[in-house]
Amino acid sequence: MVLNQTQTKKDNFELTWNHIVLETNFFLFSEEIEAFSHNVNLLEMIAIIGKINKMAKSINSDCQINTGIYFNAIESVFNETPFDDKQLEEYFTQQQAFYKFVDNAKGLIDFDMVQIPFEIEFALFGKKLSEYVELENDEKENLNNAYLPLVDKVQHRTIEIKEFIKKAKQILS
């Protein structure tokens, strides 16, 4: 979690072990802060996948999730350059592999809080974070509500990734 200046200056603010507070004047605009915050989420996913891969290797499992596309996503979000279809396919292929692991590990590990925010995926499709931030709350909710069932279908492999990409682009246009 990345906190803004107001959140960190509160009198009753208590830092817990799993929070990082970064105070910097480097980011001047809210969309830069938003992009940085989302990229921290991607780094968290990379770290979790690294642990999954290490665990799988230690038990001689062939389960390996490629983190390269997540590093590409960080660059994409920072530079506001959308993924092409091939990159989107790779991203969602790795997401499917991650959720397959999550489904198999249910009851052993709590993965409820491990999810990449939709705003990151919207950025990968080409929707600028600044555009998303400027939407009214009900517009954001409508967009998220239209996207959620589609994501659920691709995660559970009831829709092909290419069809998912096509439909997601329609929702986001």
Side-chain angles (χ1 to χ4, degrees), residues 15-33:
L15 188 63
T16 59
W17 68 272
N18 60 348
H19 290 79
I20 296 173
V21 177
L22 174 66
E23 190 169 329
T24 180
N25 292 326
F26 183 73
F27 301 117
L28 301 176
F29 304 104
S30 61
E31 57 269 8
E32 291 175 325
I33 295 168

Side-chain angles (χ1 to χ4, degrees), residues 51-69:
K51 290 179 181 184
I52 290 170
N53 288 342
K54 186 177 180 179
M55 181 192 69
K57 185 177 179 181
S58 73
I59 61 171
N60 297 322
S61 170
D62 61 355
C63 170
Q64 289 292 302
I65 303 168
N66 185 344
T67 57
I69 197 68

Side-chain angles (χ1 to χ4, degrees), residues 106-123:
K106 282 202 172 153
L108 298 174
I109 305 167
D110 181 12
F111 283 103
D112 288 340
M113 296 306 292
V114 181
Q115 187 173 5
I116 294 177
F118 287 162
E119 296 96 302
I120 292 173
E121 292 179 1
F122 295 165

Side-chain angles (χ1 to χ4, degrees), residues 3-128:
L3 305 174
N4 65 32
Q5 186 177 17
T6 304
Q7 292 168 314
T8 60
K9 299 290 183 192
K10 289 181 182 176
D11 292 339
N12 62 352
F13 179 74
E14 291 183 32
L15 188 63
T16 59
W17 68 272
N18 60 348
H19 290 79
I20 296 173
V21 177
L22 174 66
E23 190 169 329
T24 180
N25 292 326
F26 183 73
F27 301 117
L28 301 176
F29 304 104
S30 61
E31 57 269 8
E32 291 175 325
I33 295 168
E34 190 81 15
F36 182 80
S37 175
H38 289 313
N39 282 325
V40 168
N41 289 322
L42 285 165
L43 287 171
E44 181 181 25
M45 179 63 86
I46 290 166
I48 289 166
I49 290 172
K51 290 179 181 184
I52 290 170
N53 288 342
K54 186 177 180 179
M55 181 192 69
K57 185 177 179 181
S58 73
I59 61 171
N60 297 322
S61 170
D62 61 355
C63 170
Q64 289 292 302
I65 303 168
N66 185 344
T67 57
I69 197 68
Y70 296 98
F71 286 105
N72 293 343
I74 289 171
E75 185 176 353
S76 175
V77 170
F78 261 131
N79 294 328
E80 293 186 330
T81 54
F83 273 6
D84 60 28
D85 283 0
K86 184 177 177 182
Q87 290 171 306
L88 287 168
E89 287 178 38
E90 176 63 18
Y91 172 83
F92 287 104
T93 297
Q94 298 311 314
Q95 282 290 91
Q96 281 182 337
F98 173 76
Y99 282 103
K100 181 178 179 183
F101 176 86
V102 168
D103 286 344
N104 290 331
K106 282 202 172 153
L108 298 174
I109 305 167
D110 181 12
F111 283 103
D112 288 340
M113 296 306 292
V114 181
Q115 187 173 5
I116 294 177
F118 287 162
E119 296 96 302
I120 292 173
E121 292 179 1
F122 295 165
L124 298 178
F125 278 106
K127 186 164 209 57
K128 294 184 189 248

